[in-house]
Amino acid sequence: MKFPSEPNGYPQREEAIRYFSGQYKERVAAGKPDQQPMFTSFYADGVVWPNGTKESVDTVIYATDYRPHLPYLQAMRTLGAEGRPLHKAGISVVPGLYYVGLEGQRSFASATLRGVGPDVNFVMQKLTSS
């Protein structure tokens, strides 16, 4: 499966890939995930795409690399003075917003491949119980 990518080989940040339940495996196997430009904003029930179309979503997962730059979250008042997420163990001060992979999120290893797994499990338990 190929995606347009940055020089480091990872998908471009301004692109969003949507997977629909029940169709995920088939779309990936066919090499045709639903791919489109990054959404432009949130509304009460979901996201707004660049063409103005609104789509209801339950969860948005951002993959921000190892150097998170999150100014788009500032309007939600979820960032501190230094631009770092305000959270406790990955659970944001904003209901429904969660983080994984942040430096020092739950342990010294949180921002590493070895340490992110336990943080993912912790956040997923919170996400699925709410």
Side-chain angles (χ1 to χ4, degrees):
M1 175 168 49
K2 288 190 162 192
F3 298 103
S5 57
E6 294 180 342
N8 64 8
Y10 294 104
Q12 293 179 2
R13 293 175 190 214
E14 64 272 3
E15 295 178 1
I17 301 167
R18 298 185 301 171
Y19 295 107
F20 298 93
S21 59
Q23 299 174 349
Y24 171 79
K25 289 181 181 177
E26 293 84 7
R27 288 180 183 265
V28 171
K32 297 180 181 179
D34 184 15
Q35 184 176 359
Q36 61 181 300
M38 181 71 160
F39 56 87
T40 57
S41 61
F42 290 100
Y43 75 104
D45 293 322
V47 297
V48 180
W49 297 103
N51 67 3
T53 303
K54 292 182 176 182
E55 182 174 5
S56 183
V57 298
D58 295 324
T59 305
V60 173
I61 300 174
Y62 280 108
T64 62
D65 202 0
Y66 289 100
R67 295 157 293 178
H69 182 65
L70 309 168
Y72 45 84
L73 295 177
Q74 191 64 48
M76 295 173 62
R77 298 178 189 214
T78 185
L79 302 178
E82 298 90 31
R84 295 182 182 189
L86 300 172
H87 70 95
K88 183 173 182 179
I91 302 166
S92 174
V93 296
V94 174
L97 180 61
Y98 301 85
Y99 302 97
V100 293
L102 296 175
E103 185 177 347
Q105 179 171 321
R106 292 185 53 223
S107 75
F108 290 115
S110 288
T112 69
L113 290 176
R114 178 175 288 171
V116 75
D119 289 355
V120 168
N121 292 333
F122 178 82
V123 168
M124 289 303 297
Q125 286 177 346
K126 298 296 182 185
L127 227 166
T128 56
S129 68
S130 43

